[in-house]
Amino acid sequence: MRIEGSATAITWLPFASLDRIPAVPLELAVAHYDEPPPPLLPDLDALRREDAFREANELRAWIEVAGDEIVDYGQGGRSLLSEPSLELEDRQITFAAVEFPVIQPEPEVGDGWVRFTQTVGGRIGLPAPRPVVGRPYFHVGAVSAWTTLELVLRADGSSDARLVAASPFPRHSLYGAEQELVDVFGADELELGDGTPWGDEGTPAFAAAVESELERRLATSILRDGTRLVRRRVARGELLVEQGAPGHELYVLLDGVFDVEIGGEVVAQVGSGAVLGERAVLGDGRRTATLRAVRSSRVAVIPDDQIDRSDLIQIAASRAR
């Protein structure tokens, strides 16, 4: 006899969280809020197309029972990140959504039961302002969110679904095997954890994995077919762009930190994951701020003629809510 089960977590951004994000003197493409998921598990693919959540963790598993013994078992599942992944509008700075690899440990087998575990997560396209010690401005970086699900299937046909770990922000709705809402976890006020199940986000290995996924997402959203990203190293103190200067390139900050200067004064810092320069691309072609490298940094450069403007405009229009 085959016994199947599932556990699902939907990560969503409550309305109250946007009100509680500190104001910064920049035009940021802040992600829109999400309506709370319904009491019964919705169609995740349809919800994703509507961009109605930030990410979802779907864990599915089965066991084969002969008599009272489990003779076989298997696990499936997937990670779903919100669509579209880039909020490219007439804004100065936005952050791309980036999906992290799914973590699926080997199932744990006990007497009459099997425990399955799955972790998914990513950067959800929401900027997180953090105070800079001793400075009158904020550092703006990408927000990462993740969930770890546990599903236990038993030979007697019963099952349990749990959210065993998750990022402290934003909200996570848990659905059990009966596809009914079990509980809601997480904060509606911006709260950042110390790390992720994939390790410290500041390590070179983590940065390389994020860069690879970011390049893939750019290739499927705004780049013309066949375009390869050109990378550029920006030395400490070097300008990437200067306020008032003409420019039509789009930049993606792969690794590093930039000071954002307006009128000769630093008003903010931006960190890895920032997509810079949309205003010049979609607007009047003039840079609205100076970007200066705080430390040695790497950016991807996307020339204007390599941007699929029809997709860019379509993405921008789809975000007007």
Side-chain angles (χ1 to χ4, degrees), residues 44-53 80-83 217:
L44 292 179
D45 293 300
L47 213 61
R48 184 190 190 192
R49 288 192 294 271
E50 296 168 3
D51 192 28
F53 60 80
L80 294 91
L81 209 63
S82 62
E83 291 184 341
R217 286 188 168 269

Side-chain angles (χ1 to χ4, degrees), residues 262-318:
I262 296 178
E265 294 186 8
V266 178
V267 298
Q269 285 183 347
V270 290
S272 300
V275 182
L276 309 164
E278 297 95 312
R279 169 161 290 185
V281 174
L282 292 174
D284 62 5
R286 296 273 175 183
R287 302 298 185 186
T288 59
T290 295
L291 298 175
R292 187 186 306 272
V294 175
R295 59 177 174 84
S296 180
S297 303
R298 288 192 315 121
V299 299
V301 184
I302 307 175
D304 179 56
D305 61 0
Q306 297 302 313
I307 298 172
D308 190 324
R309 298 187 68 83
S310 62
D311 282 355
L312 187 93
I313 294 169
Q314 182 178 357
I315 291 171
S318 72

Side-chain angles (χ1 to χ4, degrees), residues 19-241:
D19 286 342
R20 295 172 184 175
I21 293 175
V24 294
L26 291 171
E27 291 185 80
L28 294 172
V30 177
H32 61 78
Y33 73 91
D34 305 309
E35 295 292 340
L40 294 178
L41 181 66
D43 182 327
L44 292 179
D45 293 300
L47 213 61
R48 184 190 190 192
R49 288 192 294 271
E50 296 168 3
D51 192 28
F53 60 80
R54 300 305 92 209
E55 65 184 12
N57 184 352
E58 184 180 51
L59 169 60
R60 295 188 175 277
W62 57 269
I63 58 175
E64 197 72 36
V65 179
D68 295 330
E69 294 185 4
I70 297 175
V71 296
D72 200 5
Y73 56 86
Q75 178 175 354
R78 57 177 178 161
S79 168
L80 294 91
L81 209 63
S82 62
E83 291 184 341
S85 59
L86 292 178
E87 297 177 356
L88 295 177
E89 302 180 39
D90 186 9
R91 307 290 184 95
Q92 177 60 26
I93 299 172
T94 187
F95 283 81
V98 178
E99 186 174 4
F100 299 156
V102 175
I103 300 175
Q104 246 184 27
E106 186 66 23
E108 180 184 355
V109 182
D111 184 12
W113 56 266
V114 182
R115 178 181 290 114
F116 305 90
T117 307
Q118 178 172 283
T119 300
V120 311
R123 290 180 174 170
I124 59 174
L126 177 70
R130 305 173 179 89
V132 178
V133 177
R135 302 290 183 180
Y137 50 80
F138 289 91
H139 174 92
V140 184
V143 172
S144 293
W146 54 274
T147 56
T148 298
L149 289 175
E150 178 183 279
L151 175 64
V152 177
L153 298 182
R154 300 184 184 87
D156 64 6
S158 64
S159 65
D160 288 317
R162 293 199 305 145
L163 182 69
V164 296
S167 57
F169 175 86
R171 289 286 177 86
H172 313 287
S173 293
L174 171 66
Y175 293 84
E178 301 300 321
Q179 299 191 338
E180 294 183 351
L181 181 64
V182 175
D183 207 345
V184 179
F185 306 86
D188 59 10
E189 187 166 353
L190 183 61
E191 182 180 347
L192 303 176
D194 297 328
T196 76
W198 297 265
D200 185 349
E201 294 196 50
T203 63
F206 194 100
V210 169
E211 178 180 333
S212 176
E213 175 62 16
L214 182 56
E215 181 172 356
R216 185 190 70 80
R217 286 188 168 269
L218 287 169
T220 59
S221 57
I222 64 170
L223 295 181
R224 293 189 184 279
D225 291 342
T227 298
R228 298 179 65 87
L229 289 181
V230 175
R231 292 164 175 78
R232 173 182 163 189
R233 178 73 66 178
V234 185
R236 178 180 178 181
E238 182 182 351
L239 298 187
L240 178 65
V241 300

Side-chain angles (χ1 to χ4, degrees), residues 4-17:
E4 299 180 348
S6 67
T8 305
I10 297 177
T11 297
W12 52 284
L13 195 62
F15 176 78
S17 64

